[in-house]
Amino acid sequence: MFCDKPSVNQLTALMLAHGVHHVVVCPGSRNAAIVHNFAVCETQGKMTLYPVTDERSAAFVAIGIALAVNAPVAICVTSGSALLNTLPAVAEAYYRHLPLLIISADRPEEWIGQLDGQTLPQRNALMPYAPTFQLTEDNLAWNNRMLNEALCRLHKPCSEMAHLNVPLSEPLFSFSTPSLPTERVVKAFWPKVENPLPTEIVDAVAMARCPMLYLGQYESGILPEVAQLDAQNALLVMAEPISQQHLTEHLSLLDLPNFHPDLIIHAGGNTVDKRLRLFLRSCEAKVIRLEEGTDFVDTLSHLDSIVYTPLQTALRQLLSLPANANVAKLKEQCKATPHSKPLVWNEECAVSLLRQSVKDKEVVFHLANSQSVRLYKGNVATTAQQKVYCNRGVNGIEGSLSAAVGYALASQMVNYCIIGDLSFFYDGNALWNQQLKGNLRVLLLNNGGGRIFDHLPGLSASMAQGPYVSANHHTSAEGLCQSHGAHYLVAHSEEEYIRLLPQFTTEESDRPMVLEVSF
């Protein structure tokens, strides 16, 4: 039996109709009727539920699940501040165009500001990242329109989010409705243009002395057009490791005196390589932005044109470009310029050894901000069967482990989370999950604080650097792992790390495994 709240039954029916089958559920009384309906759907094989107690972690878990299943994911929270705890992850998902549906139960509006528990204004609480679609308890026609409009947003090419606020008055716990209602389902279509790039832009790229494709974070999969453009020397391709494109990076370009691109096609999301980004800003090349969303993006400060288009469609149009002699020459110079360096025992070495040990395996890497994502750029090439994700949208240390947890929950692949100590301990509640399996492996790089801050020019002159900025500590993950039932390994030296690495990467386990490396 479903609950006896008409608005909740409408919500459930239309979520199924719009293909929302994965839901992260958080505990609470006000949202219990909604969770009850979802649980009934799970028994019918129509939904998969992921219970997470901490809403701050739960919303990042939803991000990980969305990446794993490549489909919209809902998160259901109770009333009050529970909704506010999802905001960091909502902001992250907004900048990565991930289709999250945030469902909050609400209390009667007349009790806001009247000292009634867990009651606060929930409309527009997630703006400007996710607009609120407010349901009612009695206007079913209104609810149908709000629900269809919100759910259609999830399937846009740029995957916009929505917040559904569901007011529920008492009594809350009555479950006697035998079936869900038949609701009007509104479908939306976004036709794609075959050749979205204007002729003048294609001609400008063809005539450029040294045209370049600069691709940032991209999570929709491999774009074969990128590899083709690189192979035919039509463009000098620079793809970040978190772009999923698995190209050999032209790491020596910035050391070449004749590297001065005059036209840059900029695509994808956030980037990691700060040195390259600052260089491209300084070279004053004409920039053409290929934008899959609706934003006006001028990352390199020299934007000439912006084309709102599906990226793959635009890149396919560029395959007709001829080879560029200057691009070919620069790539040859890169090959002849050694850029690898011998590794001493440090965090970068630990990451490289892990990558080397699984280089031929089909695995997923999750990189925490912000030292870990930089350490990943090393001497080992990522293979085509490996995926790389990072909360690079707007987040700092929060949610990195939770996003990896979400992906592991929704995936059968082995997931390696490379994470620093501040990120790990901040998000340690992510391991508080009985559904976790042994396909989550966490490489914890514990150097006693935020060591990335040691590289900031001038900060060492401040007495605040160690205790306050870097947050120096002497914390171990052993107790936390014991509390949450995770297998714990620890290495205090390179020799111990090398000895434990085969166990970490090959041993079967029914629970997550944490390898803490102390530096």
Side-chain angles (χ1 to χ4, degrees), residues 184-449:
R184 176 188 60 150
V185 179
V186 178
K187 298 179 180 179
F189 301 91
W190 293 272
K192 297 179 180 178
V193 180
E194 184 177 355
N195 292 310
L197 298 180
T199 302
E200 62 185 85
I201 287 182
V202 178
D203 291 344
V205 179
M207 296 173 60
R209 175 185 52 80
C210 182
M212 175 180 176
L213 172 62
Y214 182 38
L215 184 60
Q217 187 169 23
Y218 187 80
E219 295 170 320
S220 298
I222 296 175
L223 294 164
E225 293 80 7
V226 174
Q228 292 177 50
L229 289 167
D230 182 61
Q232 67 193 39
N233 293 330
L235 296 165
L236 185 62
V237 179
M238 292 287 289
E240 292 274 2
I242 55 176
S243 71
Q244 313 292 338
Q245 302 313 307
H246 315 297
L247 294 178
T248 300
E249 299 174 60
H250 308 306
L251 297 176
S252 305
L253 276 175
L254 295 183
D255 299 319
L256 300 179
N258 57 335
F259 173 51
H260 294 289
D262 59 334
L263 184 145
I264 302 170
I265 297 176
H266 179 217
N270 281 269
T271 55
V272 178
D273 196 326
K274 184 176 182 180
R275 183 188 176 205
L276 175 61
R277 186 168 63 249
L278 293 178
F279 171 81
L280 295 179
R281 286 176 182 171
S282 69
C283 71
E284 299 188 3
K286 178 187 291 187
V287 177
I288 298 167
R289 170 70 182 175
L290 304 181
E291 176 58 48
E292 291 197 299
T294 58
D295 297 330
F296 187 91
V297 176
D298 188 16
T299 305
L300 302 179
S301 302
H302 299 289
L303 185 65
D304 177 84
S305 306
I306 184 166
V307 183
Y308 294 96
T309 173
L311 180 54
Q312 188 166 20
T313 306
L315 294 179
R316 189 177 301 124
Q317 189 177 348
L318 293 175
L319 291 176
S320 61
L321 289 171
N324 184 292
N326 289 324
V327 168
K329 182 179 178 181
L330 282 169
K331 290 171 65 177
E332 287 301 319
Q333 288 179 277
C334 277
K335 292 177 182 177
T337 304
H339 56 263
S340 61
K341 55 186 178 181
L343 288 178
V344 297
W345 175 239
N346 56 19
E347 295 92 331
E348 183 180 1
C349 179
V351 173
S352 293
L353 289 172
L354 170 62
R355 292 182 61 192
Q356 185 69 35
S357 67
V358 297
K359 66 177 183 178
D360 298 321
K361 297 181 179 179
E362 186 177 357
V363 300
V364 184
F365 284 105
H366 302 273
L367 312 177
N369 264 331
S370 61
Q371 179 82 319
S372 298
V373 68
R374 291 177 168 85
L375 292 172
Y376 187 84
K377 298 186 68 169
N379 302 326
V380 184
T382 303
T383 56
Q385 68 264 33
Q386 295 180 348
K387 300 178 180 180
V388 185
Y389 297 107
C390 176
N391 286 353
R392 198 65 187 163
V394 292
N395 281 116
I397 64 174
E398 70 266 45
S400 296
L401 185 56
S402 290
V405 161
Y407 198 107
L409 286 171
S411 166
Q412 298 301 315
M413 297 178 68
V414 177
N415 292 258
Y416 290 96
C417 179
I418 303 174
I419 191 168
D421 45 276
L422 295 190
S423 297
F424 178 85
F425 291 117
Y426 184 98
D427 197 22
N429 270 350
L431 296 178
W432 184 16
N433 192 311
Q434 293 304 307
Q435 289 189 333
L436 280 173
K437 307 179 290 293
N439 67 332
L440 176 66
R441 308 292 166 104
V442 181
L443 178 62
L444 168 56
L445 307 172
N446 192 341
N447 51 26

Side-chain angles (χ1 to χ4, degrees), residues 85-214:
N85 285 327
T86 68
L87 189 54
V90 168
E92 176 73 19
Y94 172 84
Y95 283 102
R96 289 163 71 183
H97 302 293
L98 297 175
L100 295 193
L101 176 68
I102 301 89
I103 304 168
S104 59
D106 201 358
R107 291 169 182 254
E109 208 165 31
E110 61 266 25
W111 292 111
I112 295 176
Q114 300 305 305
L115 306 182
D116 201 53
Q118 290 182 260
T119 307
L120 51 79
Q122 294 183 193
R123 295 195 199 198
N124 302 320
L126 303 180
M127 288 294 285
Y129 311 109
T132 296
F133 295 84
Q134 181 76 18
L135 301 192
T136 71
E137 293 203 78
D138 52 10
N139 191 334
L140 303 188
W142 168 271
N143 288 349
N144 180 277
R145 180 162 70 85
M146 288 293 100
L147 287 163
N148 273 297
E149 184 177 353
L151 290 162
C152 280
R153 290 173 59 88
L154 305 177
H155 298 284
K156 285 186 175 183
C158 56
S159 299
E160 297 179 1
M161 289 185 294
H163 166 216
L164 285 170
N165 197 46
V166 187
L168 296 171
S169 57
E170 298 178 6
L172 297 170
F173 313 121
S174 179
F175 312 109
S176 61
T177 303
S179 61
L180 295 174
T182 300
E183 290 288 322
R184 176 188 60 150
V185 179
V186 178
K187 298 179 180 179
F189 301 91
W190 293 272
K192 297 179 180 178
V193 180
E194 184 177 355
N195 292 310
L197 298 180
T199 302
E200 62 185 85
I201 287 182
V202 178
D203 291 344
V205 179
M207 296 173 60
R209 175 185 52 80
C210 182
M212 175 180 176
L213 172 62
Y214 182 38

